[in-house]
């Protein structure tokens, strides 16, 4: 099978590629950077330059790749600009899905996020509504996620994976990541907001499993959603950072269930961020 990994040079993409190749599939992986696309050959993939915001070049690139499956892992997180990332989720996904349809692709696997449910104390399943009427800037993020998911699901056999906060090598929650720097500077407060995490390697394993999962929405998180008053001190301790200040955010967040993925074989190596953080 030929698998196009769009966004292959990202943290998750680089974790996914060797796993897909290990199953005997051919991988074509994309990046907006020619240099990064070239570097993907070191992982065993054919590198391809693709700017998903350029509709014509996206159609041409997917046609050239001639994939059986498209794995959409494109993000724009380098600057931390949520509006830019939202644009890629909406416009970029639209272009990629249209290109996939034109190329005869019958399955797209799309990367989404799990912190888009309405705030509540009860855990969220995939059937719960998204928080599309949230105040800005969250509203822009959630509505872009809705557009991404809607576009991907236009392809009938497609899968949307709603990942928890990624942590581990190369992520913002790594020893060298953005939130580690904040923790060391005592600028990462411990709040009541509940977060669901997933280690990047477990997220990559879920992407590979999703090649054979039924179409639909899937929460991909570990087994222990937790408030910041629990996970932030553990994260700081793992880094040797000072203990955080406790602050009130006014946002309860939402625990997220992974029951559906568990029933279909998702068994994260790091079932809790507690063991995952200790291994950073």
């Amino acid at each position: 099978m030929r698998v196009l990994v769009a966004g292959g040079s990202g943290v998750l993409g680089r974790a996914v590629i060797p796993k897909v190749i290990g199953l005997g599939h051919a991988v074509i992986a994309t990046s907006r950077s020619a240099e990064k696309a070239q570097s993907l050959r070191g992982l065993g993939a054919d590198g391809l330059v693709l700017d998903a915001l350029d509709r014509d070049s996206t159609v041409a690139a997917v046609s050239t790749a001639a994939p059986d499956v498209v794995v959409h892992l494109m993000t724009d997180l380098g600057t931390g600009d949520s509006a830019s990332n939202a644009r890629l989720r909406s416009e970029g996904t639209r272009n990629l899905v249209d290109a996939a349809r034109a190329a005869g692709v019958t399955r797209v696997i799309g990367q989404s996020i799990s912190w888009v449910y309405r705030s509540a104390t009860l855990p969220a399943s995939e059937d719960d509504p998204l928080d599309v009427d949230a105040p800005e800037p969250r509203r822009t993020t959630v509505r872009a996620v809705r557009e991404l998911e809607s576009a991907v699901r236009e392809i009938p056999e497609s899968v949307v994976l709603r990942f928890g906060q990624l942590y581990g090598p190369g992520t913002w929650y790594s020893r060298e990541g953005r939130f580690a720097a904040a923790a060391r500077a005592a600028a990462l407060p411990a709040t009541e907001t509940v977060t669901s995490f997933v280690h990047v390697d477990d997220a990559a394993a879920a992407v590979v499993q999703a090649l054979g999962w039924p179409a639909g929405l899937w929460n991909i998180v570990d087994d222990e959603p937790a408030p910041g008053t629990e996970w932030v001190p553990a994260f700081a301790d793992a880094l040797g950072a000072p203990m955080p200040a406790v602050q009130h955010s006014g946002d309860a967040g939402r625990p997220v269930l992974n029951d559906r993925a568990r029933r279909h074989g998702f068994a994260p190596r790091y079932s809790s961020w507690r063991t995952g953080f200790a291994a950073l």
Side-chain angles (χ1 to χ4, degrees):
M1 185 164 65
R2 291 176 62 80
V3 180
L4 175 66
V5 180
S9 62
V11 171
L12 184 54
R14 295 182 70 86
V16 164
I17 290 167
K19 295 181 184 295
V20 175
I21 291 174
L23 293 177
H25 303 307
V27 173
I28 309 94
T30 80
S31 173
R32 285 175 293 178
S33 160
E35 181 179 357
K36 289 182 179 180
Q38 178 69 20
S39 73
L40 293 172
R41 294 184 179 179
L43 298 176
D46 290 332
L48 184 67
V49 177
L50 185 151
D51 178 0
L53 296 178
D54 183 330
R55 184 176 181 83
D56 290 342
S57 67
T58 299
V59 171
V62 175
S63 175
T64 297
D68 300 294
V69 177
V70 170
V71 179
H72 171 9
L73 304 179
M74 300 183 299
T75 60
D76 188 4
L77 298 174
T79 64
D81 182 351
S82 60
S84 178
N85 200 36
R87 183 185 177 208
L88 183 60
R89 282 181 172 135
S90 55
E91 294 181 29
T93 301
R94 176 77 274 155
N95 292 340
L96 183 65
V97 167
D98 288 350
R101 181 186 291 107
V105 174
T106 58
R107 168 158 290 214
V108 176
I109 297 171
Q111 176 184 1
S112 187
I113 56 177
S114 68
W115 55 97
V116 286
Y117 297 104
R118 295 172 184 169
S119 180
T121 56
L122 292 176
S125 75
E126 293 87 349
D127 296 328
D128 284 291
L130 302 186
D131 193 17
V132 293
D133 294 320
E136 293 289 9
R138 176 172 167 80
R139 180 185 303 177
T140 293
T141 294
V142 177
R143 291 189 176 189
V145 165
R146 181 177 63 178
E147 289 184 48
L148 179 154
E149 295 185 353
S150 178
V152 168
R153 297 184 73 190
E154 290 173 10
I155 306 291
E157 297 179 20
S158 293
V159 169
V160 171
L161 303 177
R162 290 176 174 165
F163 292 106
Q165 290 281 1
L166 296 180
Y167 72 97
T171 71
W172 285 358
Y173 293 93
S174 66
R175 286 192 168 274
E176 300 77 28
R178 176 171 301 186
F179 288 107
R184 293 189 182 99
L188 184 64
T191 73
E192 77 277 19
T193 306
V194 172
T195 298
S196 294
F197 286 96
V198 64
H199 192 281
V200 66
D201 288 342
D202 289 325
V207 172
V208 175
Q209 287 181 281
L211 292 171
W213 279 351
L217 302 169
W218 303 75
N219 290 331
I220 305 298
V221 297
D222 71 18
D223 298 337
E224 191 178 2
T229 49
E230 292 185 26
W231 71 259
V232 177
F235 183 59
D237 184 61
L239 300 170
M243 284 298 98
V246 176
Q247 294 182 11
H248 179 66
S249 69
D251 176 13
R254 185 80 177 268
V256 177
L257 295 173
N258 65 8
D259 295 0
R260 186 181 189 202
R262 277 284 194 181
R263 290 195 300 270
H264 284 78
F266 176 61
R269 176 185 175 192
Y270 296 103
S271 60
S272 169
W273 48 268
R274 296 181 190 276
T275 53
F277 286 175
L280 288 176

